[in-house]
């Protein structure tokens, strides 16, 4: 099923975690039901990584409700890096980057190729 929306509370939680983790990055996986992202899955060892916060591939759960990833940038840059694109291609169909200052306006969603996609906040 195509992911079309994210719950406002889930997005707000991600923005809060990004603020708490700043100036480091956080990364989490996202779980969706009926096309709506409802949950973040934090993987031990991935929060607060010093450089690029990456999910070790072997730790990716085999779980079809996992639809993609979300991570923070400690800058205003909302463009996926080449490492991000590599992670996107392995972890699902939709990905979110939240950038400093971590407000409801400072995030963007992408498909697995790094192309911007629309995601409704509901
Ligand atoms: Zn990134």
């Amino acid at each position: 099923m195509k992911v079309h929306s994210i719950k406002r509370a889930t997005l707000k939680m991600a923005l809060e975690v990004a603020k708490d983790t700043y100036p480091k990055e956080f990364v989490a996986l996202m779980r969706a039901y009926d096309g709506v992202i409802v949950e973040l899955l934090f993987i031990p060892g991935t929060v607060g990584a010093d450089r690029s916060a990456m999910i070790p591939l072997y730790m990716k759960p085999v779980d079809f409700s996992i639809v993609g990833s979300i991570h923070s940038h400690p800058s205003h840059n909302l463009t996926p890096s080449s490492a991000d694109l590599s992670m996107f291609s392995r972890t699902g169909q939709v990905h979110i980057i939240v950038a400093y200052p971590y407000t409801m306006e400072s995030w963007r969603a992408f498909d697995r190729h790094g192309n911007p996609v629309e995601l409704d906040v509901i």
Side-chain angles (χ1 to χ4, degrees):
M1 165 163 236
K2 192 177 184 319
V3 174
H4 51 77
S5 304
I6 182 169
K7 276 202 152 181
R8 182 173 296 271
T10 306
L11 180 58
K12 280 193 163 165
M13 186 202 198
L15 295 167
E16 286 305 312
V17 172
K19 281 179 201 162
D20 288 348
T21 311
Y22 180 84
K24 295 180 178 176
E25 299 183 10
F26 89 93
V27 61
L29 296 172
M30 304 190 296
R31 173 171 279 161
Y33 293 107
D34 297 330
V36 181
I37 297 160
V38 295
E39 196 179 342
L40 306 180
L41 294 162
F42 296 96
I43 296 172
T46 60
V47 175
D50 268 317
R51 286 189 65 254
S52 181
M54 294 298 295
I55 298 168
L57 192 53
Y58 63 87
M59 290 189 73
K60 188 186 171 230
V62 179
D63 179 340
F64 293 110
S65 64
I66 304 294
V67 294
S69 69
I70 182 166
H71 75 282
S72 61
H73 282 174
S75 66
H76 297 280
N77 183 7
L78 279 168
T79 305
S81 66
S82 57
D84 291 344
L85 292 173
S86 168
M87 177 177 73
F88 289 2
S89 69
R90 297 191 319 252
T91 50
Q93 61 166 291
V94 63
H95 305 274
I96 295 175
I97 293 175
V98 299
Y100 187 85
Y102 313 124
T103 66
M104 292 299 275
E105 286 75 46
S106 62
W107 64 280
R108 194 174 289 162
F110 302 90
D111 68 14
R112 66 190 311 137
H113 306 292
N115 302 309
V117 295
E118 286 290 324
L119 211 52
D120 291 331
V121 179
I122 61 172

